[in-house]
């Protein structure tokens, strides 16, 4: 059976005995057309199941009103918060989103970038995968002057707009809090150090120790994944440490919650035996017991800023290449999991 023929503006024009140009103008809300004619065209278009040919229009206008978003994961409260922030801005500005997911794989990220390029997106918002080695696959956008905004996971010394928090300071503050609570032997559980977010948090952790005249012991640093099985493996490595740490800074809330539960199942008390600080301010930190001290990572605001920066650049209201890096505020949220002294300061 032959597929049903796509309805065109020529079909509508023939039925209404008007020109295809008039139909096109009537379908374009920004073009002046007699209101009665517009109403007839819109009603007939709807009854015939007409679909606007966005691709053909984009060839003429060199604009698709579409923004591509490349995410390194989807099952993260932080990422969904960023996406909600992006969506709030682009919807208000009448842009569409194409969302691509790299699943922490650089090859998939490269394919995603190529796919968005050929879909003629007007701009790109991206957060890099664990194993992305360079930004060569984004050069195609740069060559065509298609703006790209990177957020969260970025190459901090690269060209282009970046939206980040001060991960060094956040790591420093989390570690300093554990020291203030009386912790003398503080472990760090983090992830792939190729990414700025984890390398900078570790740098902050180490500097806080040095500033408080405490030894930096690489045997207390665990670098692994952030999934449940990774967190359990990290927990077992902590349990094998002699002597045991009395504080742990964990650079992800989900991982921190699994570690905390695993340690409790082995008979350790949190925070009395081991104080724990996480990172991201995910919802899970509010429902575990004890509630998790964490660093607030304002994903919704980050998403809004990334989208607003990109769209204002596209509209000629802002040159995002002038101020290439924007640092948004984060803060330590103190809850029961880290309070060895028994109360909030």
């Amino acid at each position: 059976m032959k597929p049903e023929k796509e309805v065109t503006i020529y079909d509508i024009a023939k039925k209404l005995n008007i020109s295809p140009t008039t139909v096109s103008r009537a379908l374009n809300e920004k073009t002046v057309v007699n209101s009665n004619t517009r109403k007839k065209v819109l009603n007939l278009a709807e009854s015939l199941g007409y679909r606007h040919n966005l691709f053909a229009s984009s060839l003429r206008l060199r604009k698709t009103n579409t923004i591509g978003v490349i995410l390194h994961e989807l099952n993260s409260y932080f990422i969904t918060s960023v996406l909600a922030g992006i969506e709030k801005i682009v919807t208000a500005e009448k842009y569409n989103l194409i969302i691509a997911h790299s699943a922490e794989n650089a090859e998939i990220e490269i394919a995603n970038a190529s796919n968005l390029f050929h879909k003629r997106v007007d701009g790109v918002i991206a957060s890099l995968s664990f194993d992305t080695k360079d930004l060569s696959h984004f050069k195609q956008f740069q060559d065509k002057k298609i703006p790209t905004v990177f957020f969260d996971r970025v190459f901090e010394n690269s060209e282009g707009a970046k939206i980040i928090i001060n991960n060094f300071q956040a790591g420093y503050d989390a570690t300093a809090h554990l020291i203030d609570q009386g912790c003398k032997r503080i472990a760090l559980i983090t992830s792939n150090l190729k990414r700025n977010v984890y390398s900078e948090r570790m740098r902050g952790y180490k500097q806080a120790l040095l500033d408080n005249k405490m030894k930096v012991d690489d045997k207390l640093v665990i670098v692994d994944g952030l999934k449940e099985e990774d967190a359990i493996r990290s927990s077992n490595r902590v349990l094998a440490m002699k002597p045991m740490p009395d504080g742990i800074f964990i650079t992800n809330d989900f991982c921190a919650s699994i570690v905390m539960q695993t340690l409790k199942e082995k008979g350790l008390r949190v925070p009395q035996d081991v104080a724990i600080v996480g990172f991201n301010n995910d919802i899970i930190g509010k429902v575990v017991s004890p509630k998790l001290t964490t660093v607030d990572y304002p994903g919704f605001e980050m998403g809004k800023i990334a989208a607003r920066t990109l769209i204002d650049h596209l509209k000629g209201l802002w040159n995002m290449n002038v101020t290439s890096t924007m640092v948004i505020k984060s803060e330590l949220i103190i809850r029961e999991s880290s309070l060895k002294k028994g109360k909030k300061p």
Side-chain angles (χ1 to χ4, degrees):
M1 186 173 74
K2 291 183 178 180
E4 186 177 349
K5 180 179 176 292
E6 190 79 20
V7 177
T8 69
I9 61 172
Y10 300 99
D11 299 321
I12 297 171
K14 185 176 181 180
K15 285 184 177 292
L16 293 178
N17 196 28
I18 58 178
S19 72
T21 301
T22 301
V23 174
S24 178
R25 288 173 178 170
L27 292 169
N28 182 356
E29 295 180 4
K30 296 179 182 178
T31 307
V32 177
V33 174
N34 178 279
S35 60
N36 289 331
T37 302
R38 185 189 299 278
K39 185 176 181 180
K40 289 179 182 179
V41 169
L42 293 176
N43 287 341
L44 182 59
E46 183 178 2
S47 66
L48 294 176
Y50 170 78
R51 295 190 300 175
H52 179 56
N53 191 335
L54 180 63
F55 179 71
S57 298
S58 71
L59 289 177
R60 292 192 298 272
L61 301 174
R62 295 182 178 273
K63 185 178 180 183
T64 62
N65 267 56
T66 301
I67 291 172
V69 181
I70 301 178
L71 304 172
H72 55 80
E73 64 174 334
L74 290 175
N75 59 340
S76 156
Y77 176 74
F78 168 71
I79 288 295
T80 55
S81 297
V82 172
L83 195 53
I86 292 171
E87 190 172 32
K88 182 177 178 65
I89 298 300
V90 301
T91 299
E93 293 288 347
K94 295 183 168 38
Y95 277 77
N96 302 306
L97 283 179
I98 299 177
I99 300 169
H101 176 216
S102 73
E104 300 289 15
N105 185 302
E107 290 185 5
I108 297 175
E109 182 179 290
I110 291 168
N112 287 339
S114 178
N115 185 36
L116 292 177
F117 179 77
H118 290 293
K119 281 186 163 51
R120 298 173 179 265
V121 295
D122 296 334
V124 177
I125 299 172
S127 184
L128 303 174
S129 73
F130 267 151
D131 55 353
T132 298
K133 293 181 174 61
D134 57 54
L135 300 179
S136 58
H137 46 301
F138 290 97
K139 187 175 184 300
Q140 57 196 326
F141 299 107
Q142 181 183 355
D143 291 345
K144 291 290 185 180
K145 300 191 184 310
I146 299 169
T148 302
V149 176
F150 296 96
F151 73 92
D152 182 38
R153 298 188 190 172
V154 305
F155 285 114
E156 293 194 14
N157 296 322
S158 66
E159 295 182 0
K162 295 171 281 291
I163 318 291
I164 59 173
I165 65 167
N166 189 332
N167 284 284
F168 168 83
Q169 189 64 51
Y172 187 103
D173 292 346
T175 308
H177 168 66
L178 289 170
I179 295 170
D180 182 65
Q181 288 297 305
C183 296
K184 303 296 184 184
R185 184 172 165 82
I186 301 171
L188 170 69
I189 297 177
T190 190
S191 198
N192 195 316
L193 297 176
K194 293 179 182 177
R195 295 283 68 86
N196 63 302
V197 290
Y198 303 118
S199 62
E200 283 296 289
R201 291 170 199 175
M202 183 174 76
R203 194 166 70 85
Y205 156 82
K206 289 184 175 181
Q207 192 61 51
L209 294 177
L210 292 172
D211 286 353
N212 285 275
K213 297 180 171 51
M214 295 174 66
K215 180 183 177 183
V216 174
D217 185 352
D218 288 338
K219 292 179 181 177
L220 291 173
V221 176
I222 298 173
V223 180
D224 206 329
L226 301 173
K227 296 178 181 178
E228 181 176 2
E229 58 270 26
D230 305 323
I232 293 172
R233 184 167 53 246
S234 294
S235 302
N236 290 330
R237 289 179 63 182
V238 168
L239 289 164
M241 291 178 179
K242 304 296 182 187
M244 272 275 297
D246 56 2
I248 313 174
F249 170 38
I250 306 172
T251 60
N252 174 275
D253 278 348
F254 175 76
C255 183
S257 299
I258 299 298
V259 169
M260 185 162 65
Q261 183 61 33
T262 305
L263 296 182
K264 285 168 60 183
E265 289 172 356
K266 297 295 184 180
L268 292 174
R269 298 170 302 161
V270 178
Q272 295 90 337
D273 297 324
V274 57
I276 294 178
V277 176
F279 205 107
N280 281 357
N281 195 22
D282 287 356
I283 289 176
I284 193 170
K286 299 175 184 178
V287 298
V288 293
S289 181
K291 293 181 180 179
L292 183 64
T293 293
T294 186
V295 176
D296 182 39
Y297 202 163
F300 185 73
E301 290 303 315
M302 181 170 278
K304 287 200 301 181
I305 292 170
R308 173 53 60 200
T309 299
L310 184 62
I311 290 175
D312 282 355
H313 181 87
L314 290 169
K315 293 166 72 174
L317 301 174
W318 171 262
N319 184 354
M320 67 185 195
N321 297 317
V322 173
T323 304
S324 60
T325 300
M326 283 163 274
V327 182
I328 61 177
K329 185 179 179 181
S330 63
E331 64 176 321
L332 185 69
I333 297 176
I334 299 173
R335 302 192 183 113
E336 292 81 3
S337 72
S338 63
L339 292 175
K340 293 176 81 72
K341 292 182 177 179
K343 62 180 180 179
K344 293 184 182 181

